[in-house]
Amino acid sequence: VTSKRWTSALVVDAATSLRLSRVRQKDTSAERLVRSLLHRMGFRFRIGGKGLPGRPDVANVSRGWAVLVHGCYWHSHAGCRRATVPKRNRAFWRAKFEANQARDRRVLRDLRAIGIRPVVVWECEIEERPRVVAGRLRAALT
Ligand SMILES: [Zn+2]
């Protein structure tokens, strides 16, 4: 099999390519999926958010953007079935989740204040609708 034939057979868009890669390898945190998608879409970035408010998972400071990947549970994704509150010690957990949300809002504000455009990607979105995320990222980051 020539590499050329393989290439033409395997030309797929970034979201499809991401889905296929998930079939092959099952070790896929939401952050990893987002990095993989951005990479396939040709974006260049640094990971870890060193020196930036909230340490965004992925950022390109010179291009002025950051992507924050939020777990639906810890960041209380509104209306999401993954954003449950434990039945025991309910008041404690509500307070904790509310504090997390307040911190998230502050981080977005602080990023904007230094000229960084923050984009939040939810765990459920990247896992269940990567194509939608790809479209949103392309629109937000280019
Ligand atoms: Zn969610």
Side-chain angles (χ1 to χ4, degrees), residues 37-58:
L37 181 60
L38 285 168
H39 181 69
R40 283 152 207 261
M41 291 169 75
F43 289 107
R44 301 181 59 96
F45 52 82
R46 288 181 188 277
I47 61 175
K50 212 170 178 182
L52 291 176
R55 303 186 66 118
D57 302 281
V58 172

PDB file of all heavy atoms in Angstrom, residues 37-58:
ATOM      1  N   LEU A  37      -8.028  18.052  19.209  1.00  0.00           N
ATOM      2  CA  LEU A  37      -8.863  18.693  18.192  1.00  0.00           C
ATOM      3  C   LEU A  37      -8.195  19.968  17.677  1.00  0.00           C
ATOM      4  O   LEU A  37      -8.094  20.179  16.460  1.00  0.00           O
ATOM      5  CB  LEU A  37     -10.248  19.009  18.778  1.00  0.00           C
ATOM      6  CG  LEU A  37     -11.258  19.668  17.843  1.00  0.00           C
ATOM      7  CD1 LEU A  37     -11.544  18.789  16.629  1.00  0.00           C
ATOM      8  CD2 LEU A  37     -12.555  19.967  18.583  1.00  0.00           C
ATOM      9  N   LEU A  38      -7.717  20.807  18.598  1.00  0.00           N
ATOM     10  CA  LEU A  38      -7.066  22.059  18.203  1.00  0.00           C
ATOM     11  C   LEU A  38      -5.850  21.770  17.321  1.00  0.00           C
ATOM     12  O   LEU A  38      -5.612  22.445  16.318  1.00  0.00           O
ATOM     13  CB  LEU A  38      -6.637  22.852  19.446  1.00  0.00           C
ATOM     14  CG  LEU A  38      -7.754  23.560  20.219  1.00  0.00           C
ATOM     15  CD1 LEU A  38      -7.231  24.044  21.558  1.00  0.00           C
ATOM     16  CD2 LEU A  38      -8.312  24.719  19.401  1.00  0.00           C
ATOM     17  N   HIS A  39      -5.099  20.768  17.727  1.00  0.00           N
ATOM     18  CA  HIS A  39      -3.907  20.388  16.971  1.00  0.00           C
ATOM     19  C   HIS A  39      -4.282  19.973  15.546  1.00  0.00           C
ATOM     20  O   HIS A  39      -3.678  20.415  14.573  1.00  0.00           O
ATOM     21  CB  HIS A  39      -3.200  19.246  17.703  1.00  0.00           C
ATOM     22  CG  HIS A  39      -1.950  18.802  17.036  1.00  0.00           C
ATOM     23  ND1 HIS A  39      -0.824  19.602  16.996  1.00  0.00           N
ATOM     24  CD2 HIS A  39      -1.641  17.668  16.375  1.00  0.00           C
ATOM     25  CE1 HIS A  39       0.119  18.968  16.324  1.00  0.00           C
ATOM     26  NE2 HIS A  39      -0.349  17.797  15.947  1.00  0.00           N
ATOM     27  N   ARG A  40      -5.315  19.135  15.446  1.00  0.00           N
ATOM     28  CA  ARG A  40      -5.760  18.682  14.124  1.00  0.00           C
ATOM     29  C   ARG A  40      -6.286  19.824  13.276  1.00  0.00           C
ATOM     30  O   ARG A  40      -6.278  19.764  12.055  1.00  0.00           O
ATOM     31  CB  ARG A  40      -6.862  17.621  14.269  1.00  0.00           C
ATOM     32  CG  ARG A  40      -6.348  16.265  14.662  1.00  0.00           C
ATOM     33  CD  ARG A  40      -7.406  15.517  15.411  1.00  0.00           C
ATOM     34  NE  ARG A  40      -6.806  14.540  16.310  1.00  0.00           N
ATOM     35  CZ  ARG A  40      -6.684  13.259  16.025  1.00  0.00           C
ATOM     36  NH1 ARG A  40      -7.126  12.790  14.878  1.00  0.00           N
ATOM     37  NH2 ARG A  40      -6.120  12.439  16.876  1.00  0.00           N
ATOM     38  N   MET A  41      -6.813  20.877  13.945  1.00  0.00           N
ATOM     39  CA  MET A  41      -7.336  22.025  13.216  1.00  0.00           C
ATOM     40  C   MET A  41      -6.218  22.992  12.842  1.00  0.00           C
ATOM     41  O   MET A  41      -6.462  24.016  12.210  1.00  0.00           O
ATOM     42  CB  MET A  41      -8.389  22.745  14.069  1.00  0.00           C
ATOM     43  CG  MET A  41      -9.665  21.935  14.249  1.00  0.00           C
ATOM     44  SD  MET A  41     -10.754  22.654  15.510  1.00  0.00           S
ATOM     45  CE  MET A  41     -11.402  24.059  14.615  1.00  0.00           C
ATOM     46  N   GLY A  42      -5.008  22.684  13.270  1.00  0.00           N
ATOM     47  CA  GLY A  42      -3.859  23.500  12.873  1.00  0.00           C
ATOM     48  C   GLY A  42      -3.527  24.655  13.807  1.00  0.00           C
ATOM     49  O   GLY A  42      -2.700  25.495  13.465  1.00  0.00           O
ATOM     50  N   PHE A  43      -4.181  24.707  14.974  1.00  0.00           N
ATOM     51  CA  PHE A  43      -3.867  25.776  15.915  1.00  0.00           C
ATOM     52  C   PHE A  43      -2.587  25.453  16.674  1.00  0.00           C
ATOM     53  O   PHE A  43      -2.316  24.304  16.999  1.00  0.00           O
ATOM     54  CB  PHE A  43      -5.011  25.965  16.920  1.00  0.00           C
ATOM     55  CG  PHE A  43      -6.235  26.581  16.319  1.00  0.00           C
ATOM     56  CD1 PHE A  43      -7.366  25.822  16.080  1.00  0.00           C
ATOM     57  CD2 PHE A  43      -6.246  27.921  15.984  1.00  0.00           C
ATOM     58  CE1 PHE A  43      -8.498  26.394  15.518  1.00  0.00           C
ATOM     59  CE2 PHE A  43      -7.366  28.509  15.422  1.00  0.00           C
ATOM     60  CZ  PHE A  43      -8.495  27.735  15.189  1.00  0.00           C
ATOM     61  N   ARG A  44      -1.832  26.497  16.939  1.00  0.00           N
ATOM     62  CA  ARG A  44      -0.626  26.337  17.755  1.00  0.00           C
ATOM     63  C   ARG A  44      -0.923  26.898  19.133  1.00  0.00           C
ATOM     64  O   ARG A  44      -1.626  27.888  19.264  1.00  0.00           O
ATOM     65  CB  ARG A  44       0.551  27.065  17.116  1.00  0.00           C
ATOM     66  CG  ARG A  44       0.873  26.569  15.719  1.00  0.00           C
ATOM     67  CD  ARG A  44       2.057  27.329  15.163  1.00  0.00           C
ATOM     68  NE  ARG A  44       3.219  27.167  16.014  1.00  0.00           N
ATOM     69  CZ  ARG A  44       4.183  26.274  15.811  1.00  0.00           C
ATOM     70  NH1 ARG A  44       4.123  25.481  14.774  1.00  0.00           N
ATOM     71  NH2 ARG A  44       5.214  26.184  16.624  1.00  0.00           N
ATOM     72  N   PHE A  45      -0.382  26.262  20.155  1.00  0.00           N
ATOM     73  CA  PHE A  45      -0.730  26.681  21.511  1.00  0.00           C
ATOM     74  C   PHE A  45       0.258  26.125  22.514  1.00  0.00           C
ATOM     75  O   PHE A  45       1.055  25.232  22.209  1.00  0.00           O
ATOM     76  CB  PHE A  45      -2.136  26.195  21.863  1.00  0.00           C
ATOM     77  CG  PHE A  45      -2.350  24.718  21.628  1.00  0.00           C
ATOM     78  CD1 PHE A  45      -1.950  23.779  22.563  1.00  0.00           C
ATOM     79  CD2 PHE A  45      -2.948  24.276  20.452  1.00  0.00           C
ATOM     80  CE1 PHE A  45      -2.140  22.422  22.349  1.00  0.00           C
ATOM     81  CE2 PHE A  45      -3.137  22.918  20.218  1.00  0.00           C
ATOM     82  CZ  PHE A  45      -2.724  21.988  21.172  1.00  0.00           C
ATOM     83  N   ARG A  46       0.187  26.693  23.707  1.00  0.00           N
ATOM     84  CA  ARG A  46       0.929  26.153  24.839  1.00  0.00           C
ATOM     85  C   ARG A  46      -0.064  25.577  25.831  1.00  0.00           C
ATOM     86  O   ARG A  46      -1.188  26.041  25.918  1.00  0.00           O
ATOM     87  CB  ARG A  46       1.748  27.252  25.527  1.00  0.00           C
ATOM     88  CG  ARG A  46       2.933  27.700  24.712  1.00  0.00           C
ATOM     89  CD  ARG A  46       3.717  28.772  25.453  1.00  0.00           C
ATOM     90  NE  ARG A  46       4.749  29.329  24.602  1.00  0.00           N
ATOM     91  CZ  ARG A  46       5.948  28.779  24.420  1.00  0.00           C
ATOM     92  NH1 ARG A  46       6.266  27.661  25.052  1.00  0.00           N
ATOM     93  NH2 ARG A  46       6.834  29.347  23.616  1.00  0.00           N
ATOM     94  N   ILE A  47       0.384  24.598  26.600  1.00  0.00           N
ATOM     95  CA  ILE A  47      -0.514  24.015  27.586  1.00  0.00           C
ATOM     96  C   ILE A  47      -0.067  24.382  29.001  1.00  0.00           C
ATOM     97  O   ILE A  47       1.086  24.734  29.234  1.00  0.00           O
ATOM     98  CB  ILE A  47      -0.623  22.479  27.440  1.00  0.00           C
ATOM     99  CG1 ILE A  47       0.741  21.816  27.641  1.00  0.00           C
ATOM    100  CG2 ILE A  47      -1.174  22.110  26.076  1.00  0.00           C
ATOM    101  CD1 ILE A  47       0.675  20.310  27.631  1.00  0.00           C
ATOM    102  N   GLY A  48      -1.014  24.345  29.927  1.00  0.00           N
ATOM    103  CA  GLY A  48      -0.687  24.589  31.331  1.00  0.00           C
ATOM    104  C   GLY A  48      -0.976  26.000  31.806  1.00  0.00           C
ATOM    105  O   GLY A  48      -1.101  26.237  32.997  1.00  0.00           O
ATOM    106  N   GLY A  49      -1.068  26.953  30.874  1.00  0.00           N
ATOM    107  CA  GLY A  49      -1.471  28.308  31.222  1.00  0.00           C
ATOM    108  C   GLY A  49      -0.574  29.034  32.195  1.00  0.00           C
ATOM    109  O   GLY A  49      -1.017  29.902  32.944  1.00  0.00           O
ATOM    110  N   LYS A  50       0.707  28.700  32.179  1.00  0.00           N
ATOM    111  CA  LYS A  50       1.658  29.316  33.101  1.00  0.00           C
ATOM    112  C   LYS A  50       1.589  30.843  33.038  1.00  0.00           C
ATOM    113  O   LYS A  50       1.652  31.428  31.970  1.00  0.00           O
ATOM    114  CB  LYS A  50       3.076  28.861  32.745  1.00  0.00           C
ATOM    115  CG  LYS A  50       3.988  28.765  33.935  1.00  0.00           C
ATOM    116  CD  LYS A  50       5.281  28.085  33.545  1.00  0.00           C
ATOM    117  CE  LYS A  50       6.217  28.040  34.732  1.00  0.00           C
ATOM    118  NZ  LYS A  50       7.504  27.438  34.400  1.00  0.00           N
ATOM    119  N   GLY A  51       1.425  31.472  34.205  1.00  0.00           N
ATOM    120  CA  GLY A  51       1.416  32.923  34.282  1.00  0.00           C
ATOM    121  C   GLY A  51       0.096  33.579  33.905  1.00  0.00           C
ATOM    122  O   GLY A  51      -0.023  34.790  33.966  1.00  0.00           O
ATOM    123  N   LEU A  52      -0.888  32.788  33.520  1.00  0.00           N
ATOM    124  CA  LEU A  52      -2.183  33.360  33.144  1.00  0.00           C
ATOM    125  C   LEU A  52      -3.219  33.111  34.242  1.00  0.00           C
ATOM    126  O   LEU A  52      -3.157  32.091  34.931  1.00  0.00           O
ATOM    127  CB  LEU A  52      -2.686  32.722  31.840  1.00  0.00           C
ATOM    128  CG  LEU A  52      -1.921  33.062  30.569  1.00  0.00           C
ATOM    129  CD1 LEU A  52      -2.488  32.279  29.388  1.00  0.00           C
ATOM    130  CD2 LEU A  52      -1.990  34.554  30.281  1.00  0.00           C
ATOM    131  N   PRO A  53      -4.180  34.055  34.389  1.00  0.00           N
ATOM    132  CA  PRO A  53      -5.241  33.852  35.388  1.00  0.00           C
ATOM    133  C   PRO A  53      -5.963  32.527  35.150  1.00  0.00           C
ATOM    134  O   PRO A  53      -6.327  32.216  34.016  1.00  0.00           O
ATOM    135  CB  PRO A  53      -6.188  35.027  35.127  1.00  0.00           C
ATOM    136  CG  PRO A  53      -5.372  36.053  34.421  1.00  0.00           C
ATOM    137  CD  PRO A  53      -4.337  35.296  33.632  1.00  0.00           C
ATOM    138  N   GLY A  54      -6.125  31.752  36.201  1.00  0.00           N
ATOM    139  CA  GLY A  54      -6.863  30.499  36.102  1.00  0.00           C
ATOM    140  C   GLY A  54      -6.126  29.378  35.407  1.00  0.00           C
ATOM    141  O   GLY A  54      -6.675  28.296  35.229  1.00  0.00           O
ATOM    142  N   ARG A  55      -4.883  29.650  34.980  1.00  0.00           N
ATOM    143  CA  ARG A  55      -4.088  28.652  34.257  1.00  0.00           C
ATOM    144  C   ARG A  55      -4.910  27.868  33.232  1.00  0.00           C
ATOM    145  O   ARG A  55      -5.173  26.663  33.411  1.00  0.00           O
ATOM    146  CB  ARG A  55      -3.437  27.681  35.253  1.00  0.00           C
ATOM    147  CG  ARG A  55      -2.558  28.391  36.282  1.00  0.00           C
ATOM    148  CD  ARG A  55      -1.825  27.403  37.143  1.00  0.00           C
ATOM    149  NE  ARG A  55      -0.873  26.651  36.326  1.00  0.00           N
ATOM    150  CZ  ARG A  55       0.445  26.671  36.511  1.00  0.00           C
ATOM    151  NH1 ARG A  55       0.965  27.373  37.481  1.00  0.00           N
ATOM    152  NH2 ARG A  55       1.244  25.990  35.738  1.00  0.00           N
ATOM    153  N   PRO A  56      -5.321  28.537  32.148  1.00  0.00           N
ATOM    154  CA  PRO A  56      -6.143  27.853  31.133  1.00  0.00           C
ATOM    155  C   PRO A  56      -5.408  26.629  30.584  1.00  0.00           C
ATOM    156  O   PRO A  56      -4.181  26.633  30.495  1.00  0.00           O
ATOM    157  CB  PRO A  56      -6.301  28.910  30.036  1.00  0.00           C
ATOM    158  CG  PRO A  56      -5.973  30.208  30.682  1.00  0.00           C
ATOM    159  CD  PRO A  56      -5.013  29.913  31.777  1.00  0.00           C
ATOM    160  N   ASP A  57      -6.169  25.608  30.221  1.00  0.00           N
ATOM    161  CA  ASP A  57      -5.576  24.356  29.741  1.00  0.00           C
ATOM    162  C   ASP A  57      -4.718  24.584  28.503  1.00  0.00           C
ATOM    163  O   ASP A  57      -3.665  23.980  28.341  1.00  0.00           O
ATOM    164  CB  ASP A  57      -6.688  23.352  29.423  1.00  0.00           C
ATOM    165  CG  ASP A  57      -7.551  23.082  30.641  1.00  0.00           C
ATOM    166  OD1 ASP A  57      -7.113  22.307  31.492  1.00  0.00           O
ATOM    167  OD2 ASP A  57      -8.634  23.684  30.754  1.00  0.00           O
ATOM    168  N   VAL A  58      -5.214  25.470  27.636  1.00  0.00           N
ATOM    169  CA  VAL A  58      -4.565  25.716  26.365  1.00  0.00           C
ATOM    170  C   VAL A  58      -4.597  27.211  26.092  1.00  0.00           C
ATOM    171  O   VAL A  58      -5.616  27.851  26.341  1.00  0.00           O
ATOM    172  CB  VAL A  58      -5.343  24.982  25.228  1.00  0.00           C
ATOM    173  CG1 VAL A  58      -4.814  25.365  23.871  1.00  0.00           C
ATOM    174  CG2 VAL A  58      -5.284  23.473  25.428  1.00  0.00           C
TER     175      VAL A  58
END
